[in-house]
Amino acid sequence: MTALSINLNKIALIRNSRDTEYPSVALHAARCIAAGAHGITVHPRPDQRHIRADDCYELASMVEVEFNIEGNPFAAPAKSDRRGVSDYPGFMEIIRQTKPAQCTLVPDTNSQLTSDHGFNLQQDGERLAPIIAELKSLGVRVSLFMDPDPTQIRLAKEVGADRIELYTGPYADSFGSQQQDEVLNAFVKASETAAEVGLGLNAGHDLNLHNLFLFKNSVHNLLEVSIGHAFTVDAIEMGLDNCIKSYLSCLR
């Protein structure tokens, strides 16, 4: 069965809209796990707009399923301008202190609203290789956020990645349109390339209860999906436990 990892960024975003610790990110992680989620994902950014460094430390101490931290490995330390919020120590320092089961490296910038493209390894491969080597020396599985480009996927294997996470935004945008089959076919070919070179396959971004079943049953050897934005909205409507069950049903 494809594993379901729940991204808790939006829970943290709601919390951060007030000067409070409610809702609790850790409590929501525990509830998701109790409801059957296979993993927890967070994406700490330097501006700490949602998940904070302290959240990562707390989750690392209590999450007994797969813990996946994603982010830009080149993100440097940053001062916090919010009362009671610790400084951002830099992405790699968070990983060194938490040693999550999986680290998903993402080429986002501080100005991006959300992740919206994969790595260009012809440009970044040399810089990434020593980072990937360090992560693996810490016992952390490494996944690279990638577009469905077979050439780039082959390079991901060459720089030492264990897995790739396909950026599924284009698939979600095309779902239900005349372009759906063409776009989906690109992801199918990408999954075949990943299998050919020996990379594990994850996927995430804008997957939801409407488009997940088709994607899961089309691409090959899908090991894990990470879902946060749609999950949060669906949980409001359906309740958290029923929402988890619905996503798990799509993945069986």
Side-chain angles (χ1 to χ4, degrees):
M1 178 178 175
T2 302
L4 172 66
S5 187
I6 297 298
N7 187 312
L8 294 176
N9 284 13
K10 287 299 186 295
I11 301 301
L13 183 66
I14 296 171
R15 176 200 61 192
N16 293 358
S17 67
R18 298 285 184 92
D19 187 13
T20 178
E21 292 303 313
Y22 179 83
S24 165
V25 173
L27 178 59
H28 275 76
R31 287 196 59 192
C32 289
I33 295 166
H38 305 108
I40 297 296
T41 292
V42 293
H43 187 145
R45 289 180 164 89
D47 60 10
Q48 303 195 86
R49 70 184 81 159
H50 34 62
I51 289 293
R52 300 167 179 164
D54 288 344
D55 294 320
C56 298
Y57 305 143
E58 182 177 15
L59 290 169
S61 70
M62 55 82 61
V63 169
E64 295 183 353
V65 295
E66 180 191 274
F67 187 30
N68 173 46
I69 301 182
E70 58 183 30
N72 188 334
F74 308 118
K79 290 288 185 180
S80 172
D81 59 1
R82 185 163 180 170
R83 181 172 61 87
V85 178
S86 301
D87 293 340
Y88 179 80
F91 181 79
M92 286 299 295
E93 186 57 29
I94 292 174
I95 301 301
R96 293 179 188 116
Q97 293 188 40
T98 57
K99 296 183 177 64
Q102 178 173 267
C103 180
T104 302
L105 304 181
V106 182
D108 61 352
T109 63
N110 294 348
S111 61
Q112 284 178 238
L113 181 63
T114 186
S115 306
D116 60 12
H117 65 279
F119 275 106
N120 180 339
L121 294 178
Q122 291 166 327
Q123 294 180 359
D124 293 322
E126 284 191 21
R127 288 203 301 163
L128 281 172
I131 290 172
I132 292 171
E134 178 184 354
L135 292 171
K136 294 174 82 167
S137 74
L138 294 172
V140 177
R141 184 172 70 232
V142 181
S143 180
L144 297 183
F145 200 61
M146 301 295 293
D147 298 312
D149 180 334
T151 300
Q152 292 289 337
I153 291 170
R154 290 189 177 91
L155 291 174
K157 179 65 175 180
E158 291 179 14
V159 298
D162 301 299
R163 294 188 184 185
I164 59 169
E165 178 177 326
L166 289 175
Y167 166 56
T168 50
Y171 163 72
D173 290 341
S174 73
F175 186 75
S177 74
Q178 293 181 343
Q179 291 74 43
Q180 172 187 291
D181 291 346
E182 178 183 356
V183 174
L184 180 57
N185 187 53
F187 284 89
V188 173
K189 290 181 178 178
S191 70
E192 292 171 345
T193 301
E196 175 189 327
V197 300
L199 285 167
L201 184 67
N202 299 340
H205 210 283
D206 291 338
L207 295 173
N208 58 41
L209 289 174
H210 303 289
N211 61 35
L212 178 59
F213 183 82
L214 175 62
F215 187 87
K216 189 266 177 185
N217 285 280
S218 299
V219 302
H220 300 275
N221 305 310
L222 183 61
L223 298 175
E224 177 184 305
V225 294
S226 174
I227 300 176
H229 183 86
F231 163 78
T232 306
V233 176
D234 291 333
I236 293 171
E237 180 178 348
M238 305 168 65
L240 187 146
D241 289 4
N242 287 334
C243 183
I244 293 282
K245 290 176 182 177
S246 295
Y247 274 100
L248 291 175
S249 179
C250 289
L251 295 172
R252 290 195 178 95

